[in-house]
C-alpha cells in the first residue's frame, strides 16, 4: 500500500481485567520511536459467548469531546469472522488490525481456556485507514464482556499527526 501523509500514534495506555475470567498483561514499549503494545492473555474458562465494546472520541482543542464511533457488538462469536467490520469502517479497521497482530485468535467460538493469545508490537497501521485524516487527539476504549461482566478494558490515548506538521517533526527528534 502507498505511503500515508499522517501517522497514528499511541501516547498512553492503561488496562483493567477480571482475574476470575482471564489473566492479562499489557505493556507499552518503544520500537523505532513509536510506542507499541505487547500483550499476553489466557481465559480461566472457555468463553462461549461474549460482547465487544469499542468507542473512540476526538478530543477537540477546546477540551470538548466528539464521538468518532461507539460500537457494542453483542454477538462476539460472529465478530470473529469480521462480518460486522464491513458495516463500520473504523471498527472494521480495528478488528482487521487486531487479527493481524493476534494470528492465533480463533475464527469461531469458543475462546478456549488456557490457550495463550499474544500480541507483539501492536500499533495502528495507517495503510488500513482512508488516505487522508486530519490532525486530532483521540481517546478510545476496547473491552470484552462475558456473563454480564467485563473480562477486560483497555484505555488508549493517542493522536493523528501530519508527517509535515511541526508536531510530528518535534516528536521524532
Amino acid at each position: 500500500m502507498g505511503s500515508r501523509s499522517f501517522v497514528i500514534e499511541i501516547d498512553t495506555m492503561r488496562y483493567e481485567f477480571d482475574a476470575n475470567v482471564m489473566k492479562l498483561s499489557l505493556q507499552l514499549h518503544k520500537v523505532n520511536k513509536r510506542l507499541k503494545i505487547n500483550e499476553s492473555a489466557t481465559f480461566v474458562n472457555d468463553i462461549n459467548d461474549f460482547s465487544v465494546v469499542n468507542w473512540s472520541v476526538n478530543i477537540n482543542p477546546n477540551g470538548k469531546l466528539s464521538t468518532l464511533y461507539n460500537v457494542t457488538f453483542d454477538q462476539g462469536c460472529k465478530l470473529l469472522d469480521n462480518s460486522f467490520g464491513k458495516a463500520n469502517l473504523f471498527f472494521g479497521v480495528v478488528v482487521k488490525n487486531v487479527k493481524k497482530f493476534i494470528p492465533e485468535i480463533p475464527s469461531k467460538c469458543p475462546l478456549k481456556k488456557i490457550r495463550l493469545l499474544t500480541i507483539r508490537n501492536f500499533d495502528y497501521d495507517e495503510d488500513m485507514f482512508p488516505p487522508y485524516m486530519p490532525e486530532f487527539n483521540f481517546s478510545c476504549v476496547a473491552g470484552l464482556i462475558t456473563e454480564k461482566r467485563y473480562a477486560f478494558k483497555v484505555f488508549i490515548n493517542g493522536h493523528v499527526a501530519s508527517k509535515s506538521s511541526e508536531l510530528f517533526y518535534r516528536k521524532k527528534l
Side-chain angles (χ1 to χ4, degrees), residues 129-172:
F129 287 88
Y132 171 77
M133 288 182 64
E135 292 191 332
F136 64 93
N137 294 315
F138 67 88
S139 181
C140 68
V141 173
L144 186 138
I145 299 170
T146 184
E147 298 178 5
K148 299 184 181 184
R149 63 183 177 192
Y150 273 95
F152 72 86
K153 289 188 240 180
V154 178
F155 307 85
I156 296 174
N157 291 311
H159 66 276
V160 176
S162 167
K163 288 183 180 177
S164 63
S165 77
E166 189 175 315
L167 172 67
F168 176 76
Y169 284 110
R170 204 175 23 216
K171 185 168 179 141
K172 293 302 172 196

Side-chain angles (χ1 to χ4, degrees), residues 9-15 26-29 35-37 59 124 138-141 154-159 171:
E9 295 189 320
I10 298 169
D11 297 325
T12 63
M13 176 197 67
R14 70 180 181 84
Y15 66 99
L26 289 167
Q27 301 90 32
L28 278 178
H29 67 106
L35 288 177
K36 299 191 177 202
I37 299 172
I59 305 168
Y124 292 98
F138 67 88
S139 181
C140 68
V141 173
V154 178
F155 307 85
I156 296 174
N157 291 311
H159 66 276
K171 185 168 179 141

Side-chain angles (χ1 to χ4, degrees), residues 75-94:
Q75 299 174 344
C77 291
K78 290 184 180 180
L79 182 67
L80 292 175
D81 68 6
N82 198 19
S83 57
F84 181 71
K86 296 174 182 84
N88 182 295
L89 175 65
F90 284 109
F91 192 64
V93 167
V94 170

Side-chain angles (χ1 to χ4, degrees), residues 39 96-107 115-120:
E39 172 266 350
K96 186 175 179 183
N97 206 29
V98 167
K99 286 185 171 196
K100 173 182 165 185
F101 286 97
I102 312 176
E104 63 271 343
I105 199 164
S107 59
R115 181 177 180 180
L116 181 65
L117 299 174
T118 59
I119 295 175
R120 294 282 179 248

Side-chain angles (χ1 to χ4, degrees), residues 6 11 39 57 64 67-68 70 75 87-88 106 111 127 148:
F6 62 89
D11 297 325
E39 172 266 350
V57 294
K64 291 188 178 182
T67 301
L68 294 170
N70 185 349
Q75 299 174 344
N88 182 295
L111 298 173
D127 286 338
K148 299 184 181 184

